[in-house]
Amino acid sequence: MDLKFTTAGDIMTAQDTYQVTADEIRSFIERFERLQTEKQDIQDAQKEVMVEAKGRGYDTKVLRKVIAIRKRNRDDVDNENAVTQMYMEALGM
């Protein structure tokens, strides 16, 4: 039998190590599964918000674009807008 000693001097067998490892793995998996469920709940709530916005006459495509822009760095957005404007002017738009 393979014996290991803990820092407290207790003896742990390979079976104890296996049980601790199995419990830890199970804990990780269950936590991940809970997070997946929470993530799906949040995604469903986001869809409901967009359905409500659409029902009130808002363009959800534009709303999503504004949300994406708000996530970005302000300087990057300003730079992209300036380049876009320059290109459009070059094309006479």
Side-chain angles (χ1 to χ4, degrees), residues 1-92:
M1 174 173 16
D2 185 25
L3 298 179
K4 296 181 181 181
F5 294 91
T6 66
T7 55
D10 298 330
I11 299 174
M12 291 180 58
T13 65
Q15 181 62 32
D16 292 334
T17 303
Y18 172 77
Q19 184 61 41
V20 170
T21 302
D23 290 344
E24 189 172 43
I25 291 170
R26 186 175 298 104
S27 173
F28 285 131
I29 290 170
E30 289 171 353
R31 283 174 44 206
F32 187 86
E33 290 171 340
R34 275 193 305 277
L35 290 170
Q36 280 183 313
T37 300
E38 291 174 20
K39 180 180 172 183
Q40 186 60 50
D41 291 345
I42 291 169
Q43 288 173 334
D44 291 344
Q46 288 174 324
K47 287 177 188 174
E48 289 174 19
V49 169
M50 287 301 170
V51 167
E52 182 180 346
K54 186 173 186 173
R56 296 185 46 95
Y58 293 99
D59 186 332
T60 57
K61 182 178 178 181
V62 174
L63 287 176
R64 290 181 190 281
K65 186 172 184 172
V66 170
I67 291 166
I69 290 170
R70 286 172 49 107
K71 289 180 185 179
R72 295 175 51 200
N73 178 296
R74 179 63 183 220
D75 292 335
D76 292 342
V77 172
D78 290 343
N79 185 48
E80 182 180 318
N81 288 339
V83 172
T84 301
Q85 186 63 35
M86 181 176 61
Y87 289 1
M88 290 175 68
E89 288 173 6
L91 295 172

